[in-house]
Amino acid sequence: MPDYGRDLAFGYFLVPNAADPLLDTARELGRAGFDCIGVQDHPYQRRYVETWTLLAMIAARTERIRVFPDVANLALRPPAVLAKAAASLDVLSGGRCELGLGSGAFWDAIEAYGGTRRTPGEAITGLGEAIEVIRLLWSGQRDLRFEGRFHRLAGATSGPVPAHPIGIWLGAHGPRALRLTGRSADGWLPSLRDGDVGALVEGAARIDEAALAAGRRPADVRRVLNVAGTLTGGRSEGLLRGPADQWVDELTDLAVGLGFDTFVLWAEEPEQWRRFAAEVIPGVRAQVAAERA
């Protein structure tokens, strides 16, 4: 797969545990050199604070770092209101909000919170409709109308217009969701699961094929990857489980070999993300720049 030549970015997957010093951590992440913070969206998890409230607080307490839901739970968030929230946060933060979007998961918990259970096919149909609704609500136009199977607008007025073109990044894995990503989304936001790079290769190929079929360039779809592993001081124990120079090599391969431009780290121990910021981020930037040159 090609390298699309985008500037690299590095983020952190901040678990929204209410008992943790979330805002202090966010400020420290910004000082350490991270570019963005992603927050999962599971309102039914009793230990978590609400995702959009946390994103807004992080944006208010920081000056540079970008924020996004990783990914917003469409099953519990009407897309028109979700569009309003994202646009508002983007305006208030000076253009520092992106929108990770998912069709929903954990359906028992969603139903417990008043949401509607959908089949996988229904969920993807609703996700495609939501993208259209959200973009209409960011257009600045009046008398917006949309009639879908699950979502509708009946003469809505949009606003505020986002401060910058917010990217809609889909947390997509299945074939239909991948085709939707290539056809309609601004970015792909998968997770590297159990070191399965093969799934990323297959997913990227489906997205590129769908983008070309829709008259788009594959490079129009940004590639953002959630990664987890362990930085060690010794020998390799597998993909992203080893010393910093191994991480640099492996993330460089994902960038120049598969076209990923943003890596979002999930690490439970602060020492892990501090090492990642100090040793891995500058190493990947330098190595990718050298290989591109």
Side-chain angles (χ1 to χ4, degrees):
M1 308 303 295
D3 171 17
Y4 297 112
R6 289 181 180 267
D7 291 340
L8 295 180
F10 296 88
Y12 185 71
F13 187 84
L14 183 63
V15 178
N17 285 313
D20 292 346
L22 298 169
L23 300 181
D24 289 342
T25 299
R27 285 193 294 266
E28 190 174 352
L29 289 164
R31 290 192 294 266
F34 284 89
D35 301 295
C36 55
I37 293 174
V39 178
Q40 60 187 290
D41 186 23
H42 298 292
Y44 34 75
Q45 169 53 264
R46 66 182 180 85
R47 296 181 181 86
Y48 291 175
V49 298
E50 197 276 328
T51 296
W52 280 98
T53 305
L54 176 58
L55 293 174
M57 290 294 292
I58 291 171
R61 297 289 186 92
T62 59
E63 297 179 354
R64 180 190 57 83
I65 206 159
R66 291 180 290 131
V67 297
F68 64 98
D70 191 358
V71 290
N73 193 329
L74 182 62
L76 289 173
R77 300 188 184 275
V81 179
L82 186 60
K84 180 84 171 187
S88 300
L89 183 51
D90 198 55
V91 168
L92 293 170
S93 67
R96 291 189 285 135
C97 178
E98 308 293 346
L99 180 57
L101 189 59
S103 58
F106 305 105
W107 291 101
D108 289 345
I110 286 169
E111 281 192 318
Y113 247 58
T116 300
R117 183 185 296 268
R118 290 179 180 161
T119 67
E122 290 172 340
I124 297 303
T125 297
L127 181 60
E129 293 176 2
I131 293 172
E132 296 186 58
V133 168
I134 289 167
R135 290 207 171 116
L136 285 171
L137 264 296
W138 289 343
S139 69
Q141 299 174 1
R142 297 175 179 272
D143 194 27
L144 298 171
R145 298 183 182 275
F146 178 84
E147 194 67 42
R149 181 179 174 189
F150 299 106
H151 304 298
R152 64 190 295 267
L153 296 173
T157 298
S158 64
V161 175
H164 89 296
I166 297 176
I168 299 177
W169 305 340
L170 299 191
H173 291 281
R176 281 192 63 189
L178 291 166
R179 290 194 294 270
L180 174 63
T181 302
R183 192 169 62 244
S184 302
D186 302 301
W188 181 33
L189 179 51
S191 298
L192 179 55
R193 297 176 173 177
D194 301 321
D196 189 2
V197 176
L200 299 180
V201 174
E202 181 181 349
R206 289 182 184 273
I207 288 170
D208 290 355
E209 181 181 351
L212 291 168
R216 308 177 71 197
R217 300 178 307 152
D220 293 338
V221 184
R222 185 167 191 171
R223 317 297 163 112
V224 183
L225 184 63
N226 293 315
V227 297
T230 305
L231 273 160
T232 71
R235 62 183 179 83
S236 173
E237 299 173 6
L239 182 67
L240 299 182
R241 296 184 181 278
D245 57 353
Q246 176 188 329
W247 278 68
V248 169
D249 288 341
E250 290 171 347
L251 294 184
T252 297
D253 287 344
L254 290 166
V256 300
L258 284 179
F260 284 97
D261 56 80
T262 302
F263 299 100
V264 182
L265 175 70
W266 185 352
E268 295 184 6
E269 298 297 327
E271 184 57 32
Q272 287 283 299
W273 65 254
R274 293 185 182 117
R275 282 193 62 194
F276 184 86
E279 303 173 42
V280 178
I281 291 177
V284 176
R285 291 192 191 279
Q287 191 157 309
V288 169
E291 294 202 17
R292 285 174 172 174

